[in-house]
Amino acid sequence: MTEPIKALCITEDPDRPTTATFVGLKNAGVDVTVICPAGERRTWLEQNGVRVLDVPLRKRFDREAVRRLRAELAQGRYDILHLFSNKALQNGLAASRGLPVKIIAYRGIVGNVSFMSPVSWFRFLNPRIDRIICVADAVRDFFLQMRPKFLRLPPERLVTIHKGHSLDWYRDTPADLTALGVPHGAFAVACVANYRPRKGIEVLVDAFGRLPTNAHLLLVGGGMDAPRLSSRIAASPAANRIHVLGYRSDAPALTAACDVFVLPSIKREGLARSLIEAMAYGVAPVVTACGGSTELVVRGVSGLVVPVRDVHALATAIGTLHDDPALRERLGAAARERIRRDFRIEDTIAKTHALYRSLVVDRSGVPAGR
């Protein structure tokens, strides 16, 4: 009988799918240790029997963190070092130098990696990385299409594993939107995203000015008070129907109360958590043909897909759903079913476990964990 695979996983964002994957790996026989910030998710990991360590990563290269990580790697004789963020990647690579551990990096967005960037070589282009788990095929395709071609990563180093979910996680009671100034019976549209130029929120604001006067937009997420966005909203004929809510811990409940969810990204989108939440609640989605969004939303089946930066197309798509409640219901139901059937947490666990086994070979030359 072979010894169990030993994996040290480092994440700064212990979200539900990631922590559920750790527990699933542990239940599948992997000896998992997790480094993550204190909070509800870390407590949940401990309650489910996962060993958890507290090693803060204060900066890109944290000497104290590197020292502690190296000691843990050497003493624990880990097979896998699984790194989920830029700081985890840089510090983990430094700590593991010269140690016989397989390194897996996680990449959740498209782009922002370049052969001309020295920082990229300290992260995802570092040749010591054995595999990069891409959250969507769009992320993997980006790496495979980088230029110059002769420097591209070998295809076998790039593996797509979608973040899996469970509909059981999404049971919040829909929020009362009238408390936020949305009239009862209004057509409510949600957009949940931390404000960044690449999210295309301004395009959505411009499109909203073309919608009927009973349409209300909820902008949920950090940074929504940015001056650039505030100016765009103030200039919109729909300004009094655009509700800037900022960060909200009840974002899923707000989305669940809406008729439509919109993600108007213009570049670098991975597999947006907020889009998955909306689909899980059966809210009809409208997305742009950007990154991994089209891997979640099947055009005309589980949502509507429009070109990026196209105000007219976006307004038309939202308007179509405004005018056709039956279509909204059908697309919302299909979106929920797509998450249930095609983005299962069980599949994420199984594929991650299989990747671990493919990288780890015991002394007899037999893949570990079989």
Side-chain angles (χ1 to χ4, degrees), residues 35 108 121-122 153-154 183 212 229 334:
I35 293 173
W121 289 98
F122 282 106
L153 301 179
L229 179 58

Short mmCIF file of all heavy atoms in Angstrom, two decimals, residues 35 108 121-122 153-154 183 212 229 334:
data_model
loop_
_atom_site.label_atom_id
_atom_site.label_comp_id
_atom_site.label_asym_id
_atom_site.label_seq_id
_atom_site.Cartn_x
_atom_site.Cartn_y
_atom_site.Cartn_z
N ILE A 35 -2.62 26.60 4.27
CA ILE A 35 -2.25 27.90 4.83
C ILE A 35 -3.23 28.93 4.25
O ILE A 35 -3.31 29.09 3.03
CB ILE A 35 -0.81 28.28 4.48
CG1 ILE A 35 0.16 27.32 5.19
CG2 ILE A 35 -0.50 29.72 4.86
CD1 ILE A 35 1.61 27.50 4.78
N GLY A 108 -6.66 32.34 -12.30
CA GLY A 108 -8.08 32.57 -12.36
C GLY A 108 -8.53 33.64 -13.34
O GLY A 108 -9.73 33.84 -13.52
N TRP A 121 8.20 36.07 -14.86
CA TRP A 121 9.14 34.96 -14.75
C TRP A 121 9.33 34.51 -13.30
O TRP A 121 9.73 33.38 -13.04
CB TRP A 121 10.49 35.34 -15.37
CG TRP A 121 10.41 35.43 -16.86
CD1 TRP A 121 10.25 36.55 -17.61
CD2 TRP A 121 10.45 34.34 -17.79
NE1 TRP A 121 10.19 36.23 -18.95
CE2 TRP A 121 10.31 34.88 -19.09
CE3 TRP A 121 10.58 32.96 -17.66
CZ2 TRP A 121 10.31 34.09 -20.23
CZ3 TRP A 121 10.58 32.16 -18.80
CH2 TRP A 121 10.45 32.73 -20.06
N PHE A 122 9.01 35.40 -12.36
CA PHE A 122 9.02 35.02 -10.95
C PHE A 122 7.73 34.31 -10.56
O PHE A 122 7.63 33.78 -9.45
CB PHE A 122 9.22 36.25 -10.05
CG PHE A 122 10.63 36.73 -9.99
CD1 PHE A 122 11.01 37.89 -10.64
CD2 PHE A 122 11.59 36.02 -9.28
CE1 PHE A 122 12.31 38.35 -10.59
CE2 PHE A 122 12.90 36.47 -9.23
CZ PHE A 122 13.27 37.63 -9.88
N LEU A 153 4.60 28.16 -23.17
CA LEU A 153 4.63 27.02 -22.26
C LEU A 153 4.16 25.76 -22.99
O LEU A 153 3.28 25.82 -23.86
CB LEU A 153 3.70 27.28 -21.07
CG LEU A 153 4.00 28.50 -20.21
CD1 LEU A 153 2.97 28.62 -19.09
CD2 LEU A 153 5.39 28.43 -19.63
N PRO A 154 4.71 24.62 -22.66
CA PRO A 154 4.24 23.37 -23.28
C PRO A 154 2.79 23.10 -22.89
O PRO A 154 2.40 23.33 -21.74
CB PRO A 154 5.18 22.31 -22.70
CG PRO A 154 5.79 22.92 -21.48
CD PRO A 154 5.82 24.40 -21.72
N PRO A 183 -38.67 50.20 -6.52
CA PRO A 183 -40.12 50.06 -6.33
C PRO A 183 -40.58 48.61 -6.49
O PRO A 183 -40.01 47.84 -7.26
CB PRO A 183 -40.71 50.95 -7.44
CG PRO A 183 -39.61 51.88 -7.82
CD PRO A 183 -38.34 51.12 -7.62
N PRO A 212 -36.39 50.88 -20.52
CA PRO A 212 -37.63 51.47 -20.04
C PRO A 212 -37.49 52.03 -18.62
O PRO A 212 -36.61 51.61 -17.86
CB PRO A 212 -38.62 50.30 -20.07
CG PRO A 212 -38.06 49.37 -21.11
CD PRO A 212 -36.57 49.49 -21.00
N LEU A 229 -16.64 56.42 -12.66
CA LEU A 229 -17.95 55.78 -12.74
C LEU A 229 -19.05 56.72 -12.25
O LEU A 229 -20.13 56.80 -12.85
CB LEU A 229 -17.96 54.49 -11.93
CG LEU A 229 -19.27 53.70 -11.91
CD1 LEU A 229 -19.71 53.33 -13.33
CD2 LEU A 229 -19.14 52.44 -11.06
N ALA A 334 -32.46 27.19 -17.10
CA ALA A 334 -31.37 26.50 -17.80
C ALA A 334 -30.02 26.87 -17.21
O ALA A 334 -29.11 26.03 -17.16
CB ALA A 334 -31.41 26.85 -19.29
#
